[in-house]
Amino acid sequence: MTYIMCLLLFGLVVGVVAVASNPSPYFAALGLVVVAGLGCGVLVWHGGHYLSLILFLIYLGGMLVVFAYSAALAAEPYPEGWGSGEVVAYIFVYLVGVVAVSGLFWGGWYETSWVPVDELGEMSVLRGDSGGVALMYGGGGGMLVVGAWVLLLTLFVVLELTRGLSRGSLRAV
Amino acid sequence: MSPMLSSTLLFALGIGTTITFASSHWFLAWMGLEINTLAILPLMAQYHHPRAVEATLKYFLTQATAASTLLFATTTNAWLTGQWDIQHMTHPLPATLFTLALALKVGLAPLHIWLPEVLQGLDLGTGLIMSTWQKLAPFALLIQIYPANSTLLIILGLASTLVGGWGGLNQTQLRKILAYSSVAHLGWMVLVLQFSPALTLLTLLMYLIMTFSTFLAFKLTNATNINALATAWTKAPALTALMPLVLLSLGGLPPLSGFMPKWLILQELSKQDLALTATLAALTALLSLYFYLRLSYAMALTMFPNTPTGTPPWRFQSSQVTFPLAISVTATLMLLPLTPTITALLTS
């Protein structure tokens, strides 16, 4: 379904422009949610369904949530959205840039290069990374255990670094 | 910091280096390096003053950049060659990327700028861990990168010895001096990496022993700048008598052990027909020697003006354990006659 891929990629580029145009972090995080969500869609259409699920969980559900909490520590009364002057200027410049660069990559073999190779009759995606996932849990199980232990260590590291309210390392807490 | 937490962090430091040493998969090696970075962060920020927190942040940002470059090189290598083995690399592009990432991790010039500021923000004990233990894992990987980019390694090496010598000349803070000394020694290690990795290991081990002695000696006399060294003789006269020799060993003078790596490296470089490189390296080592001499001068070769109550050694005996310092100072001064044995051990 070329049309779905077209929608996903256009939405992704618009989302990236929304992030890069330098609004307040709260709005930029919203742009990042859009980018990551649509990027996960692109991943699914290229066969990486497991990777896409993990990206949703960890990136959006873990890291972006933590970013939101950290940004809330530095809250400001008048955040700059996408209506304020400077941000609109950035958006305009980036959109012009996108149009210019897409003019370079127009037509010919470029148009068909981002269509997924294996399309089935119904709307179903399969196969892409099932073998890889099996290998990761099977042969790479030890590394996953080490990874889990490292996450526990990171928890203790972060707890120790932020301990002590304003007498500790972070004066904003 | 609670003993349970600090023992967990030190244990994690050990595990990280061990994992990197024991790995043949690039991803596992990267994980070991990340464990090391994470585990030392609370140790660096434990005193919570702004300078220490700033040093922790700078360290974290540079090490994260280096680790992501390493991960990028790993995935590029997997993409181009189809396998993840550390010892079976065939493509020069990922090899160059790996070298640059590990150079940033370790603090080689021109990627050294973070090192003096970070070391300056730490107390002497944590600075010791950062200067010695954290260099082991990246070097374990650097030694295994083959084919190495020959020009890059020589540029990194010569730039580091030059910057390490030149940058340390205007410093009065001891931790910054030791940071620039670290950069210079890392330069020597990387110069000979492509010709004889055994000599790189030898230089690394000798550097570890000498820096260990220096940091512990400064910790014992609680000295953080050159002025504090001037009254060190009243606190520990025997140590003050030996410190010039330790510093001259760092500078690479015979008959002290520090001469061993420099001598063998210059010999290897001349055997490889790199006389100009060898001469440049030797000349830049003179710059480092100047500030080591300045430290010896302040510590033991001059008696600075002092009050009558400041001079007699009436201090209580220090509660710090001095046994490791005794062993490392002996090794720093006396290991040169063992050069054939050590060379045979490392090249077997």
Side-chain angles (χ1 to χ4, degrees):
Chain A
M1 307 277 322
T2 318
Y3 190 56
I4 289 189
M5 187 60 89
C6 187
L7 278 179
L8 290 174
L9 285 174
F10 269 122
L12 200 140
V13 171
V14 167
V16 169
V17 166
V19 172
S21 58
N22 225 3
S24 253
Y26 322 104
F27 300 101
L30 187 61
L32 271 182
V33 169
V34 167
V35 169
L38 297 176
C40 286
V42 173
L43 263 181
V44 167
W45 277 105
H46 281 280
H49 52 286
Y50 181 76
L51 191 58
S52 164
L53 273 175
I54 295 289
L55 190 72
F56 243 111
L57 257 178
I58 305 300
Y59 186 75
L60 289 181
M63 297 199 259
L64 211 64
V65 165
V66 172
F67 173 75
Y69 282 127
S70 317
L73 275 177
E76 51 190 18
Y78 300 106
E80 260 184 17
W82 293 300
S84 91
E86 191 192 359
V87 182
V88 164
Y90 271 119
I91 291 182
F92 180 69
V93 168
Y94 288 138
L95 282 177
V96 164
V98 162
V99 168
V101 172
S102 57
L104 280 176
F105 295 103
W106 197 259
W109 66 275
Y110 293 122
E111 271 183 14
T112 47
S113 64
W114 39 269
V115 175
V117 173
D118 47 353
E119 274 186 52
L120 301 175
E122 323 82 47
M123 280 203 9
S124 61
V125 276
L126 201 57
R127 289 199 300 275
D129 53 1
S130 317
V133 171
L135 209 60
M136 181 180 80
Y137 280 110
M143 270 204 224
L144 287 179
V145 170
V146 175
W149 179 81
V150 172
L151 285 176
L152 186 63
L153 175 74
T154 315
L155 172 68
F156 288 125
V157 163
V158 171
L159 282 177
E160 171 62 27
L161 280 174
T162 52
R163 177 173 69 94
L165 291 180
S166 46
R167 299 180 317 274
S169 312
L170 299 174
R171 275 185 289 179
V173 179
Chain B
M1 198 188 292
S2 88
M4 197 130 87
L5 186 63
S6 65
S7 55
T8 310
L9 294 171
L10 291 173
F11 173 71
L13 272 178
I15 284 256
T17 309
T18 311
I19 287 182
T20 308
F21 274 20
S23 64
S24 57
H25 195 283
W26 268 116
F27 202 64
L28 196 60
W30 172 83
M31 282 169 77
L33 289 174
E34 285 286 271
I35 294 175
N36 267 0
T37 308
L38 281 173
I40 205 176
L41 292 177
L43 291 173
M44 292 168 77
Q46 64 183 314
Y47 293 112
H48 297 305
H49 56 262
R51 197 62 184 275
V53 174
E54 178 189 335
T56 312
L57 257 175
K58 283 181 184 166
Y59 184 73
F60 177 67
L61 287 174
T62 42
Q63 299 289 308
T65 313
S68 40
T69 313
L70 192 77
L71 203 56
F72 177 59
T74 309
T75 45
T76 309
N77 187 38
W79 184 27
L80 289 175
T81 62
Q83 47 87 29
W84 299 78
D85 210 283
I86 297 182
Q87 293 182 332
H88 291 138
M89 288 200 297
T90 49
H91 203 283
L93 172 65
T96 311
L97 266 177
F98 280 125
T99 313
L100 286 172
L102 291 168
L104 177 56
K105 254 221 184 279
V106 124
L108 282 163
L111 306 161
H112 67 286
I113 301 172
W114 57 276
L115 191 56
E117 301 164 357
V118 167
L119 255 184
Q120 179 64 17
L122 306 176
D123 59 302
L124 286 164
T126 317
L128 169 66
I129 300 181
M130 217 198 84
S131 286
T132 53
W133 187 257
Q134 300 283 66
K135 310 276 186 251
L136 284 175
F139 265 99
L141 294 175
L142 265 174
I143 287 179
Q144 300 181 62
I145 296 179
Y146 180 84
N149 190 336
S150 173
T151 324
L152 177 66
L153 285 175
I154 298 205
I155 290 180
L156 284 174
L158 283 180
S160 300
T161 53
L162 182 63
V163 162
W166 211 343
L169 284 179
N170 200 26
Q171 306 296 336
T172 53
Q173 293 287 326
L174 293 177
R175 287 164 290 183
K176 284 197 178 173
I177 289 184
L178 285 174
Y180 282 106
S181 128
S182 169
V183 172
H185 278 97
L186 293 170
W188 280 90
M189 286 178 222
V190 151
L191 257 181
V192 80
L193 186 60
Q194 48 183 313
F195 306 117
S196 173
L199 281 183
T200 305
L201 263 180
L202 175 79
T203 317
L204 180 65
L205 288 173
M206 283 313 307
Y207 163 71
L208 287 192
I209 297 175
M210 297 189 288
T211 312
F212 190 76
S213 312
T214 322
F215 262 105
L216 277 188
F218 291 156
K219 194 160 181 291
L220 195 72
T221 52
N222 206 14
T224 49
N225 52 21
I226 300 188
N227 285 341
L229 284 182
T231 49
W233 66 275
T234 62
K235 296 174 198 159
L239 183 64
T240 312
L242 287 174
M243 268 311 280
L245 295 176
V246 172
L247 289 164
L248 291 179
S249 185
L250 265 170
L253 290 186
L256 307 164
S257 336
F259 181 56
M260 193 196 317
K262 290 198 164 62
W263 171 27
L264 295 171
I265 290 178
L266 290 175
Q267 181 182 26
E268 185 61 39
L269 286 176
S270 350
K271 274 195 235 168
Q272 300 281 342
D273 260 345
L274 287 174
L276 179 63
T277 312
T279 314
L280 282 174
L283 285 177
T284 52
L286 285 176
L287 295 168
S288 314
L289 185 62
Y290 183 75
F291 58 76
Y292 294 130
L293 272 174
R294 182 192 284 150
L295 290 181
S296 328
Y297 178 79
M299 205 165 177
L301 301 177
T302 336
M303 266 175 68
F304 279 73
N306 211 335
T307 61
T309 46
T311 45
W314 54 264
R315 272 81 175 176
F316 292 119
Q317 233 179 357
S318 168
S319 61
Q320 295 184 38
V321 180
T322 51
F323 185 55
L325 179 59
I327 298 194
S328 62
V329 167
T330 316
T332 314
L333 303 183
M334 305 276 204
L335 277 182
L336 192 62
L338 281 178
T339 306
T341 315
I342 299 178
T343 322
L345 258 175
L346 286 171
T347 49
S348 60

